[in-house]
Amino acid sequence: MAVFLQQWCHKCVCNYFLKKTVKMNISPLAGKPAPQDILVNIPKLITAYYSDMPDPAIAAQRVSFGTSGHRGSAFNLSFNEGHILAISQAICFYRKLHKIDGPLFIGMDTHALSVPALASALEVLAANGVEVMMAGMDEYTPTPVISHAILCYNKGRTTGLADGIVITPSHNPPGDGGFKYNPPNGGPAGAEVTKWIEAKANELLEHRLTELKRVTLATALKATTTHKYDYIRPYVGDLGNIVDMAAIRQARIRIGADPLGGAGVHYWEPIAEHYGLNLTVVNTHTDPTFRFMTVDWDGQIRMDPSSPYAMAGLIGMKDTFDISFACDTDHDRHGIVTRSTGLMPPNHYLSVCIDYLFHHRKGWAANAAVGKTVVSSSMIDRVTAKAGRGLYEVPVGFKWFVDGLMDKSLGFVGEESAGASFVRMDGTVWTTDKDGFIPALLSAEIIALTGKDPGEIYAGLTKEFGAPVYDRIEAPATAAQKKSLSALTAEQVKVSDMAGEKIEAILTTAPGNKAAIGGLKVSTKNGWFAARPSGTEDIYKIYGESFLGRDHLDKILKEAQDIVNAVL
């Protein structure tokens, strides 16, 4: 049976619970403080990281790069020392093969497995003579800060280019670990890069790491190639070139910021101090169990700023501030809480950002377009058209936006999962990875210069364009079915109508770059659905939206499952 994941009504000020489209199991812990008995056992987790060796003959234990690097848990032998040693060595081989010989900027988030993974990576990088720029073994570095550092270093260079590693599983539960590579363009590595690194890492594991170069951690930390780097000051000092911090300061906007115990925990106070903002950090704690979080919908702890359950604490404080926001553990996603409407669904806030930015950034190129993923709201299409800008629609994955941000052809890019970035006030690139800081701070700029909070602005957009309803559901699928779904053609869809409307488009490639979306998107005048297989679970996901209301969306989702089942 399909299970509803993430949708709530923007008008529900008093009720922040997810609407149910079908029968589902909402945990009785959802939205409540995490109890002791669900906290991860950190000593056991770290012991498993070092003591358990993955078997590359077992698919679930191999190195596997998804849209955001290699992720897993030491408890199920999918994120252990062997994985990180192999991936780090593979990255060293990749750098040598492609003559990438500048510094490597490395950072980690606050997950428990991030510290040992950083240690393992340093041991390999030092042994291979890589110049490493690190904040320290006891400091955290957000994903966008790594991207920003790479781009700033590489500006004007054609040789000696820098790249980076970010150690994070994003907002995943506390027992997970993650490891991703950012090449010299500063963004998430493309498939051609990750496939090479993945294959080489698994080859190393298969040969029991006989090609591995490694020194002790003590030796690595003392190596002349290992450097301490101040990530905070350059990033914080540059924020005034992308967000109107003076306007926020002058308006004395009361801001609440919740790092959710993540890598940005030591950034918000320097931001407030540097720009004289009336900003309060509502939670300064870090704890690898994340015991201070409220529990997500399924009874697990996730640092997801777009979940009303995980954000229950900040939502409860919404009337204390003019605007409040949170970012996930590596600070590449944002969640915006307004006084008018509470927590905004990501698609709503992305639409507001586009509407605001393309009317207030006079230094942007006249042809700078909007980038969105195929599963993001069609409200974005309508707002973009109103702004007189082009729309660049791509498959799921932020890597598709990198080139457009670099060459200034894209001004704002975003995805439905609350990831976004945009260019500086002069139209030049800021980051090529998702940045949670800048859309969060932009929400305060919007209030300062319009007198309205983003929730109020979105309400105005719905009066002009209609009020879309958006959902995402999941349904079971075998490995063979997932493979079939990812290889679908438009000709396999035999219906001409959906939910009472004529089908206008059937897509298996994205309109913007013609890349395969790994699934199917079907659109009518007032609605659409997209179906794609999960990269990590035996399920497929269906995203849907309607401008005709909840009942119409339910019909779309039901018929979407029928269409997918028929072609499978």
Side-chain angles (χ1 to χ4, degrees):
M1 177 171 290
V3 180
F4 169 72
L5 283 185
Q6 189 175 342
Q7 171 67 22
W8 62 97
C9 175
H10 75 281
K11 295 180 180 179
C12 295
V13 176
C14 298
N15 182 5
Y16 295 97
F17 292 97
L18 300 180
K19 288 186 174 182
K20 290 189 283 186
T21 58
V22 294
K23 185 177 180 180
M24 62 179 292
N25 295 317
I26 296 291
S27 169
L29 298 176
K32 299 178 181 178
Q36 180 71 27
D37 60 358
I38 74 166
L39 302 182
V40 65
N41 186 313
I42 301 301
K44 285 186 177 181
L45 182 68
I46 303 303
T47 299
Y49 174 85
Y50 283 110
S51 64
D52 296 343
M53 185 67 181
D55 182 354
I58 300 174
Q61 296 181 25
R62 292 173 66 81
V63 171
S64 178
F65 274 77
T67 55
S68 295
H70 175 78
R71 292 184 183 178
S73 175
F75 285 141
N76 57 26
L77 288 104
S78 56
F79 193 93
N80 302 81
E81 183 184 40
H83 294 106
I84 306 310
L85 295 174
I87 296 171
S88 300
Q89 185 63 59
I91 289 172
C92 291
F93 287 147
Y94 180 84
R95 296 180 96 242
K96 185 175 181 179
L97 179 66
H98 291 274
K99 296 179 172 58
I100 302 170
D101 53 7
L104 183 144
F105 293 91
I106 191 168
M108 67 174 180
D109 75 0
T110 54
H111 277 78
L113 288 174
S114 294
V115 174
L118 175 63
S120 299
L122 290 174
E123 292 170 359
V124 175
L125 295 170
N128 284 270
V130 176
E131 298 282 342
V132 174
M133 313 298 280
M134 60 176 290
M137 291 298 294
D138 56 352
E139 188 51 89
Y140 314 109
T141 308
T143 289
V145 176
I146 294 292
S147 179
H148 180 268
I150 293 170
L151 293 175
C152 288
Y153 183 87
N154 288 341
K155 185 177 181 180
R157 298 176 186 268
T158 56
T159 60
L161 298 178
D163 55 0
I165 290 173
V166 189
I167 303 172
T168 174
S170 188
H171 61 281
N172 281 20
D176 285 8
F179 200 89
K180 64 179 184 177
Y181 175 65
N182 285 33
N185 63 22
E192 71 286 352
V193 178
T194 57
K195 285 180 180 178
W196 193 97
I197 293 172
E198 177 184 299
K200 190 62 180 178
N202 283 317
E203 179 185 318
L204 288 164
L205 287 175
E206 289 163 358
H207 291 85
R208 298 182 179 275
L209 299 176
T210 52
E211 292 184 75
L212 179 70
K213 293 182 180 180
R214 183 185 186 185
V215 297
T216 66
L217 179 60
T219 300
L221 292 174
K222 294 177 183 177
T224 57
T225 52
T226 302
H227 310 280
K228 289 289 183 70
Y229 183 77
D230 179 4
Y231 282 101
I232 296 178
R233 279 191 291 179
Y235 180 84
V236 170
D238 207 9
L239 282 169
N241 292 312
I242 191 165
V243 178
D244 193 340
M245 308 297 273
I248 300 172
R249 178 180 64 252
Q250 291 163 10
R252 299 302 296 163
I253 304 298
R254 293 173 299 165
I255 303 169
D258 190 345
L260 298 180
V265 66
H266 297 148
Y267 281 71
W268 289 109
E269 288 183 353
I271 289 172
E273 181 178 351
H274 185 89
Y275 294 102
L277 304 185
N278 185 14
L279 184 151
T280 301
V281 182
V282 302
N283 173 27
T284 59
H285 300 295
T286 58
D287 183 324
T289 66
F290 292 88
R291 65 180 67 239
F292 45 78
M293 288 294 299
T294 49
V295 180
D296 207 0
W297 69 273
D298 60 351
Q300 293 200 65
I301 297 174
R302 286 190 193 84
M303 291 58 69
D304 182 357
S306 62
S307 165
Y309 295 118
M311 290 280 281
L314 194 60
I315 291 169
M317 291 186 278
K318 75 178 187 67
D319 293 328
T320 305
F321 305 102
D322 297 315
I323 193 74
S324 50
F325 43 70
C327 293
D328 69 337
T329 325
D330 67 323
H331 271 52
D332 70 345
R333 302 187 189 198
H334 60 274
I336 308 299
V337 179
T338 69
R339 298 188 72 179
S340 64
T341 60
L343 178 62
M344 295 187 71
N347 280 311
H348 295 192
Y349 184 59
L350 295 181
S351 301
V352 170
C353 289
I354 294 164
D355 180 70
Y356 174 82
L357 285 168
F358 283 95
H359 289 90
H360 287 80
R361 292 297 188 265
K362 305 305 180 184
W364 288 10
N367 63 345
V370 173
K372 62 166 272 191
T373 55
V374 293
V375 295
S376 298
S377 174
S378 290
M379 176 65 91
I380 290 173
D381 305 40
R382 301 183 183 196
V383 172
T384 299
K386 173 191 173 185
R389 298 290 176 149
L391 185 70
Y392 183 68
E393 189 171 357
V394 299
V396 172
F398 213 78
K399 62 187 178 184
W400 303 109
F401 299 131
V402 172
D403 291 344
L405 289 168
M406 292 284 284
D407 66 17
K408 305 179 187 179
S409 63
L410 293 174
F412 177 92
V413 297
E415 56 186 14
E416 82 296 335
S417 56
S421 189
F422 48 95
V423 295
R424 299 166 182 264
M425 291 185 181
D426 65 1
T428 59
V429 65
W430 170 257
T431 60
T432 46
D433 213 328
K434 298 185 290 287
D435 190 332
F437 288 100
I438 56 173
L441 290 165
L442 183 68
S443 66
E445 179 191 325
I446 290 171
I447 297 175
L449 294 182
T450 70
K452 297 179 180 179
D453 74 34
E456 294 170 319
I457 293 177
Y458 185 78
L461 293 176
T462 64
K463 291 179 181 179
E464 185 174 0
F465 299 115
V469 185
Y470 180 99
D471 257 2
R472 193 182 93 184
I473 63 174
E474 293 181 350
T478 65
Q481 288 174 326
K482 289 166 58 180
K483 185 176 181 180
S484 296
L485 179 57
S486 64
L488 282 179
T489 64
E491 291 72 27
Q492 289 176 267
V493 178
K494 302 300 183 182
V495 297
S496 59
D497 296 272
M498 180 175 70
E501 293 190 311
K502 182 178 177 59
I503 291 175
E504 296 182 346
I506 301 174
L507 302 176
T508 55
T509 59
N513 59 359
K514 307 305 178 184
I517 63 178
L520 178 74
K521 183 173 183 179
V522 178
S523 302
T524 66
K525 179 180 180 181
N526 292 294
W528 60 269
F529 83 83
R532 55 185 296 270
S534 169
T536 57
E537 301 174 88
D538 289 330
I539 59 173
Y540 69 85
K541 301 175 183 180
I542 295 179
Y543 306 76
E545 184 175 54
S546 170
F547 276 81
L548 298 180
R550 181 79 250 175
D551 290 343
H552 185 243
L553 177 59
D554 288 343
K555 291 178 182 178
I556 290 175
L557 294 174
K558 171 62 172 63
E559 294 185 24
Q561 291 179 75
D562 293 340
I563 291 171
V564 172
N565 289 338
V567 297
L568 290 181

